[in-house]
Amino acid sequence: MRKALLLLLIFPLVISAAPYNRNQARAVNEVVFGHVDSVRYISYQDIVTSQRNGWETLLGGVIGGLVGNQFGDGSGREVATAVGVIAGAGIAHERQPTQHVVDYQLVEILIKVDDGRLIDVIQDMDNTMRFSRGDDVRILYFYDGVRVDKTYP
């Protein structure tokens, strides 16, 4: 029960933690030291669909109108331009939104800090820093999240 309560308190910090480049300097509010109690590597996929905002339809209509304007003379050109606008807008509007798969690699680290508390952190996985049970770590608290790094003797 205590672990579940602690997870509920820490989870908002994890959600708001934005990944950052380890070579990027950031102000740290607090540093807490501890030892890794357990590690769980997590991976999941998310299908991301591009959002259409109408610009594709407008652009399709403009291009269709330009192409249609190349045909005919007089009122025939006007009809061809109008057909080109409608066809171009229709084709662009019916175009399927693009989808791509994003793979997320995360690590869940349960840490026993020096004062005896257990803190659970979920963060993006860094292949250059793999965690194991018993590793000495530090928890870095920022204004906008939290990050766990290994400490070396």
Side-chain angles (χ1 to χ4, degrees):
M1 178 67 180
R2 183 175 174 184
K3 182 178 175 182
L5 181 60
L6 188 59
L7 280 172
L8 288 175
L9 293 175
I10 297 297
F11 194 68
L13 290 174
V14 174
I15 292 299
S16 66
Y20 72 96
N21 185 340
R22 291 193 184 279
N23 296 327
Q24 176 184 358
R26 294 184 64 187
V28 177
N29 296 339
E30 182 181 4
V31 179
V32 177
F33 293 92
H35 308 284
V36 174
D37 190 61
S38 67
V39 178
R40 184 171 65 129
Y41 290 94
I42 306 165
S43 66
Y44 71 94
Q45 294 181 340
D46 193 13
I47 298 175
V48 178
T49 303
S50 66
Q51 299 295 320
R52 296 189 340 203
N53 57 12
W55 286 107
E56 294 91 354
T57 303
L58 178 64
L59 183 61
V62 169
I63 292 172
L66 290 173
V67 170
N69 193 41
Q70 303 301 314
F71 300 99
D73 287 327
S75 62
R77 177 174 284 187
E78 292 172 0
V79 171
T81 301
V83 169
V85 168
I86 293 169
I91 291 169
H93 181 73
E94 293 301 319
R95 182 181 66 86
Q96 293 293 323
T98 59
Q99 292 184 342
H100 60 280
V101 176
V102 178
D103 288 319
Y104 294 99
Q105 303 294 320
L106 304 172
V107 59
E108 178 182 15
I109 311 161
L110 182 62
I111 302 162
K112 187 167 189 172
V113 295
D114 291 344
D115 66 6
R117 294 179 294 146
L118 287 173
I119 298 176
D120 193 53
V121 177
I122 300 172
Q123 66 185 25
D124 59 312
M125 189 173 75
D126 181 354
N127 286 325
T128 62
M129 186 174 298
R130 304 281 289 185
F131 295 96
S132 300
R133 185 180 178 134
D135 285 346
D136 293 327
V137 294
R138 62 183 179 173
I139 305 170
L140 306 170
Y141 289 95
F142 303 102
Y143 286 112
D144 61 348
V146 63
R147 183 77 189 182
V148 177
D149 286 328
K150 285 185 178 182
T151 57
Y152 297 100

